Amino acid sequence: MKIALVQASFIEGAFGKNLTTIITHIRKAKDLGVDIVVFPELAISGGNVGDIADYDDFGESNLNAINAIASECRDIAVVVGCYIPTENTVLRPFFNAACFIAEGKMQQIVAKTVLNDSDISEESRYFEPNTDFLTCTYKNETFAIVISDDISVPVVSMEFSVNPMDQISKQSPTFAICIGAVPFDYNQREIRHTVISTNAARYEIPFLFVNMVGGHNNIVYDGGSLVANAQGEITYEMNYFKEDVYVVNLNNKQENISEFEIPNLPKIARIYDAITCGLRDYFARSGFKKAVIGLSGGIDSAVTAALMVDVLGKENVMGVLLPSEFSTSHSIKDAEDLAKNLGIEYDIVPIKTAYNTFMQMFEPRWQDLPFDVTEENLQARIRAVVLMSYSNKFKAMLVNTSNKSEAAVGYGTLYGDLCGGISALGDLYKTQVYELTHYLNRNGIRIPENTITKAPSAELRPGQKDADSLPDYDILDKLLYAHLEGKNNAEQLLAMGFDQALVNKVLKLIRLNEYKRCQAPPIIRVSTCAFGHGRRFPVVW
């Protein structure tokens, strides 16, 4: 049996465009003599669409698309993910379903059993869990269809009342098709390999996994669809961060392709690919073709600018240098050198005049009050006004340059350097930003050496350094990672050897600055715990 795995990008709520993509691939698969063509989880709707599903015509739109797909299914079968109405007004309104379509009609609906409510997913809000476990049959082959988390049960040792594949395996399927919309994080590739291999070996049948690909707002689906043989060996891995199609030939439970060597990509390369993929689709779907970035001479703005050049091309990226009386000459030079290295257009707009005008306006009220964070934040907010004006005038999205370390402890100015339409580095700790810098310079100097080696500074007062307000980033980032990704509380952090005063300070800062993070721009997610979408914490507590 020949099965085409279609790793494609779909758009949330864009039923017409998604349907066109699906039908186009069905017709191409027919020309290749394919028996079954497989699409990712929730492909028809473009993924989990959240509250778009609450509108009255949403269920009907899914069903209409299925009917249109069915009309194409002559001499070919399709497995495709979609919302299926439960027709039950008391419980959740939909099933997260895989539809098996053949001979011009729906043959079977396989719903998802293990609903995912972790991090960015809230599947129990919309979906009713499956309770029926059936195989499908086509051309005298009996096979299983499962959906993403339904095959994670025996691998991650979750406590569920039922294991879907255990139930389905009792009917002796000859292979399994698993469809997914599994978001990227920098550990996901290893997890995915383990899950697919474990299931294939456990049930002694080939497993074919098809994942979605592309940026969906701040979430990135990385593709990386897999084929495993009945011994649990990964025999093929599809492209990451690209649309891809692969035709599998199955024969007597064996996946009969030649030996395949799986490349071992470093995590920083995956992070780079994820961020650029997410940014590229975010810009394309938002209608922006240009980006504007405030260039400070620092590492964060330099990395952001280099990423945007790789996403949009140097002709579509504009840098704006905004020196104040506290800016050092080397920072201005570093920013200019960066712009020249990248080949981007840049302007220099000093903010001293605007700053002095504001200070004169405030003087009658402030009189002799001492210089403090107020004046520091004023500079950042003036810069934001200039950058947003450039954004409006040149129809270029302002890209935020803040990193995760700063966001965690509130080291940023609300309505100042936290402005932007999207955050490129918001899910990278400062130490990861440096790692990404070296990756960006791997084929030559793009980011100036002085930008990399000098001490980080906001330059909002004379001689200011990040270290004046924050612990060393090597220490801070380890603590933040242990607390945020590792979910370790204060007592556990102390047991790990972190200083008590530091733990108390950092956890307090994280708690007190939630109000800033909830007003910050969307962040391209690359970890298992990104700020923003998926973080469910009270603003004040």
Side-chain angles (χ1 to χ4, degrees):
M1 181 170 285
K2 296 176 68 175
I3 303 174
L5 310 181
V6 179
Q7 176 179 288
S9 178
F10 297 94
I11 301 173
E12 296 98 319
F15 287 99
K17 291 181 179 179
N18 296 337
L19 181 59
T20 297
T21 297
I22 291 167
I23 290 176
T24 298
H25 280 290
I26 292 172
R27 291 174 179 174
K28 289 180 179 179
K30 282 184 181 179
D31 292 340
L32 296 173
V34 165
D35 298 296
I36 303 174
V37 57
V38 184
F39 297 93
E41 177 182 5
L42 300 177
I44 288 175
S45 64
N48 189 329
V49 298
D51 289 347
I52 293 176
D54 289 340
Y55 287 85
D56 290 341
D57 61 346
F58 182 79
E60 182 181 357
S61 296
N62 277 273
L63 296 176
N64 288 341
I66 290 169
N67 290 334
I69 294 168
S71 66
E72 298 285 331
C73 292
R74 302 292 181 183
D75 301 319
I76 194 169
V78 167
V79 177
V80 62
C82 67
Y83 285 69
I84 290 290
T86 60
E87 299 180 357
N88 190 326
T89 58
V90 177
L91 302 176
R92 268 80 66 176
F94 297 101
F95 292 112
N96 179 346
C99 299
F100 177 57
I101 307 168
E103 299 173 357
K105 64 180 180 180
M106 175 85 74
Q107 298 292 333
Q108 194 159 314
I109 295 171
V110 178
K112 189 175 182 180
T113 303
V114 181
L115 301 180
N116 189 339
D117 290 324
S118 64
D119 192 32
I120 58 172
S121 300
E122 293 181 291
E123 292 191 325
S124 293
R125 179 174 177 177
Y126 305 99
F127 298 121
E128 185 69 13
N130 172 56
T131 55
D132 296 323
F133 304 98
L134 300 172
T135 53
C136 298
T137 300
Y138 185 65
K139 293 189 174 180
N140 298 319
E141 288 279 4
T142 298
F143 58 94
I145 299 177
V146 285
I147 304 175
S148 57
D149 297 282
D150 283 356
I151 64 170
S152 67
V153 179
V155 180
V156 297
S157 300
M158 296 179 182
E159 292 297 326
F160 290 101
S161 58
V162 64
N163 180 335
M165 271 305 301
D166 276 355
Q167 300 299 314
I168 297 171
S169 66
K170 296 174 183 177
Q171 301 168 54
S172 302
T174 58
F175 62 91
I177 293 171
C178 179
I179 62 173
V182 182
F184 170 83
D185 68 66
Y186 43 69
N187 294 316
Q188 182 55 233
R189 184 172 186 255
E190 288 77 12
I191 295 171
R192 183 176 303 153
H193 280 215
T194 299
V195 169
I196 299 300
S197 295
T198 300
N199 276 273
R202 178 186 178 99
Y203 302 108
E204 299 181 336
I205 56 174
F207 258 74
L208 319 179
F209 171 71
V210 181
N211 195 27
M212 196 175 286
V213 70
H216 287 214
N217 293 298
N218 62 321
I219 306 303
V220 181
Y221 297 102
D222 59 342
S225 304
L226 296 173
V227 178
N229 63 23
Q231 291 74 47
E233 300 165 331
I234 302 296
T235 57
Y236 197 80
E237 182 177 45
M238 294 169 68
N239 280 318
Y240 279 83
F241 306 104
K242 294 179 182 178
E243 293 192 315
D244 199 5
V245 177
Y246 179 69
V247 177
V248 183
N249 289 289
L250 292 178
N251 180 26
N252 296 327
K253 297 189 181 183
Q254 300 298 319
E255 205 281 321
N256 58 357
I257 67 170
S258 59
E259 185 177 349
F260 177 73
E261 183 176 350
I262 298 169
N264 185 23
L265 296 175
K267 287 187 179 180
I268 196 62
R270 301 179 218 171
I271 289 171
Y272 168 83
D273 287 341
I275 293 175
T276 52
C277 174
L279 290 170
R280 187 174 293 109
D281 284 349
Y282 190 89
F283 268 76
R285 294 175 186 181
S286 65
F288 282 90
K289 295 180 173 61
K290 297 182 178 182
V292 61
I293 301 163
L295 300 182
S296 67
I299 194 78
D300 298 315
S301 62
V303 170
T304 301
L307 290 170
M308 291 314 308
V309 166
D310 292 352
V311 169
L312 299 178
K314 63 184 180 181
E315 67 279 4
N316 294 313
V317 179
M318 178 182 295
V320 184
L321 286 65
L322 299 152
S324 74
E325 61 182 292
F326 306 115
S327 298
T328 60
S329 58
H330 68 74
S331 289
I332 298 171
K333 183 179 185 303
D334 289 341
E336 288 188 284
D337 288 346
L338 171 78
K340 292 172 184 176
N341 288 352
L342 297 178
I344 64 174
E345 180 183 4
Y346 70 96
D347 288 344
I348 302 178
V349 184
I351 67 168
K352 183 176 180 179
T353 300
Y355 175 76
N356 288 340
T357 300
F358 272 105
M359 292 304 294
Q360 291 170 9
M361 181 177 69
F362 293 135
E363 196 276 334
R365 180 62 176 168
W366 293 359
Q367 296 183 358
D368 296 326
L369 293 173
F371 183 103
D372 62 9
V373 71
T374 309
E375 286 82 359
E376 295 181 17
N377 286 342
L378 176 59
Q379 298 168 66
R381 291 179 178 128
I382 291 170
R383 288 179 171 129
V385 169
V386 176
L387 290 168
M388 286 306 302
S389 297
Y390 268 71
S391 174
N392 291 154
K393 186 61 67 176
F394 297 105
K395 297 180 176 57
M397 183 184 292
L398 175 60
V399 182
N400 180 267
T401 63
S402 299
N403 62 64
K404 190 171 186 175
S405 304
E406 295 170 346
V409 297
Y411 195 65
T413 301
L414 201 57
Y415 320 122
D417 55 328
L418 295 183
C419 283
I422 186 68
S423 173
L425 305 179
D427 202 22
L428 290 185
Y429 295 110
K430 188 78 168 188
T431 48
Q432 291 177 305
V433 174
Y434 280 103
E435 189 179 358
L436 184 55
T437 303
H438 295 299
Y439 182 79
L440 289 166
N441 278 357
R442 67 194 183 281
N443 296 321
I445 300 299
R446 304 175 72 192
I447 297 171
E449 186 66 23
N450 194 55
T451 297
I452 301 171
T453 58
K454 68 185 178 184
S457 172
E459 295 191 335
L460 297 174
R461 64 175 183 267
Q464 184 183 30
K465 297 289 185 292
D466 287 8
D468 300 337
S469 306
L470 300 174
D472 184 88
Y473 281 115
D474 285 336
I475 298 172
L476 176 63
D477 289 354
K478 289 175 183 176
L479 193 159
L480 291 173
Y481 182 87
H483 177 62
L484 296 171
E485 276 88 344
K487 310 302 181 188
N488 291 288
N489 60 26
E491 182 179 349
Q492 292 166 320
L493 293 171
L494 293 174
M496 292 177 181
F498 290 106
D499 176 74
Q500 182 163 9
L502 177 62
V503 169
N504 292 344
K505 177 182 178 179
V506 171
L507 296 194
K508 181 179 180 181
L509 287 172
I510 293 173
R511 178 172 58 84
L512 291 179
N513 285 286
E514 193 70 36
Y515 80 100
K516 287 187 181 181
R517 292 188 292 270
C518 76
Q519 299 179 71
I523 292 168
I524 300 295
R525 177 187 183 270
V526 297
S527 76
T528 57
C529 182
F531 291 127
H533 180 62
R535 180 175 166 85
R536 302 174 183 89
F537 274 78
V539 174
V540 290
W541 53 294

